[in-house]
Structures are given as C-alpha cells and as structure tokens.
Amino acid sequence: MKNTKHALRWIAGLGLALSLAGTAQAVEVGGIKFDDTVKVGGKELKLNGAGIRVRVVVKVYALALYLPEKKTTTAGVLESPGPRRFTLGMLREVTGDELGQAFVAGITANTDKAERSKFVNQLAQLGETFVNIPQAKKGDIITVDWLPDTGTVMMLNGKPLGEPLKDVGFYNAMLKIWLGDKPVDSSLKPDILGAKS
C-alpha cells in the first residue's frame, strides 16, 4: 500500500513536470512579454536575444530577435537560413513617420552607397508603410518577418502592413540598424546577440 501511494505521487509529479515543460516561457523586457519560441513560416524560431532601445534617456521600444538557431555574431545572424523575425514592443507613442525616419537613418548609417542604390525602391516602400501608421501606441507590437518564399512581411498588432519586400539583403539591412557597425543603440546590440544572457 505504501509503495502504491509513493508510486502515484511520483507519477503525479512526473505529469506536472511534463505539463510545465510544454509551457512556452516568456521573457519580459520593459513590461513587454516575448515568448521563448514563435512559429514563423511553419518553423519554430528561438528567442536569440532581447533588449530596450533607449534614445537619450527615453525608452522607445523593446526589441526581440528570433532565429532558427541561436547566433552570437552579426555575421551569424545575417547568414542564418530560413525564416527570421524581429519584434518591436512600443514603450512610448511614436508616429509612423518618426519610426520610418529612424529605420531609414539606421539603414543609411550601416550600409554603403552601392548597397543603398540597390534598395531605393524598398526604402521608398518601407517609408510608405510607416507613413500609413498614424500613431504607434505604447504596448503596440510590430513584427517584421523574413519568409524565404514571400519576402519581408510587416505587421502591426497582427495586421499586415504594406506589401512584402522581396530582397533578403534588405531584411539584413534592417537588422543592421541594431547589429551593424554603427548600431542605433550600442548597449542593445549585445542584448540582441544574447551576449548578456
């Protein structure tokens, strides 16, 4: 009888442990929750790193990067095959125009003239996409996915923004805003690369 009770307790404990193991964990950054894993293009991506973009002393957004496998270098992230995602969780109100200008400035700072000349149409399309966001509010979530068969797909709170942008080079140019040689926030780069975790 004693052994039966012990065995039942052990089985119940095992069941609890297994049920907890299946629960998606979340990381909280600046009050924004990012799941440990997300499904993009039918593939499971892992949280590579997350941090907060601070401009002067103002927290602007929390940023999370998801990849098929963890990467700790910029080159590793840019060469990562398959789908990818970066997510911005807004920590303050920003107009779409301001956000678009910040993206274009970050891309310009981290690409050379030859690269930018290849991206003229996509830069214009990106600017147009952001202009169509009247106001990004605190708590809004912007996801930017790379889907190899589709291109770059942007969403605001789960709703598509603009048309897909086809060139993986342009997606990488966007990632360089935070991971390039002149990142918009040098303290955010190691967070995204998982160097501080």
Side-chain angles (χ1 to χ4, degrees), residues 76-89:
V77 171
L78 301 182
E79 290 162 11
S80 183
R84 292 179 268 166
R85 166 176 285 179
F86 65 87
T87 302
L88 278 74

Side-chain angles (χ1 to χ4, degrees), residues 120-183:
V120 169
N121 292 340
Q122 286 154 315
L123 280 165
Q125 203 178 324
L126 181 71
E128 214 173 280
T129 299
F130 278 117
V131 166
N132 290 325
I133 303 173
Q135 193 86 21
K137 298 178 184 70
K138 186 175 178 180
D140 279 354
I141 302 292
I142 297 170
T143 58
V144 184
D145 294 344
W146 170 252
L147 301 168
D149 296 330
T150 307
T152 298
V153 176
M154 297 176 64
M155 293 198 191
L156 172 64
N157 299 326
K159 291 180 183 157
L161 290 170
E163 294 297 312
L165 301 160
K166 299 291 182 189
D167 189 348
V168 70
F170 189 71
Y171 190 84
N172 284 341
M174 284 198 280
L175 287 173
K176 287 181 189 174
I177 295 169
W178 305 282
L179 299 177
D181 293 334
K182 297 173 185 167

Side-chain angles (χ1 to χ4, degrees), residues 17-103:
L18 289 172
S19 70
L20 290 174
T23 308
Q25 298 294 307
V27 173
E28 193 169 307
V29 181
I32 305 282
K33 283 195 172 126
F34 295 113
D35 288 331
D36 269 354
T37 59
V38 293
K39 268 242 164 86
V40 176
K43 296 237 166 111
E44 190 171 274
L45 304 184
K46 300 174 185 90
L47 180 65
N48 199 72
I52 294 175
R53 161 73 170 119
V54 178
R55 189 172 180 187
V56 191
V57 294
V58 179
K59 293 177 179 179
V60 185
Y61 52 77
L63 176 73
L65 174 64
Y66 292 91
L67 301 171
E69 289 180 9
K70 288 227 176 199
K71 301 290 179 187
T72 56
T73 65
T74 297
V77 171
L78 301 182
E79 290 162 11
S80 183
R84 292 179 268 166
R85 166 176 285 179
F86 65 87
T87 302
L88 278 74
M90 302 309 298
L91 300 176
R92 63 181 289 262
E93 284 200 7
V94 181
T95 67
D97 191 41
E98 288 170 322
L99 210 47
Q101 285 180 27
F103 264 61

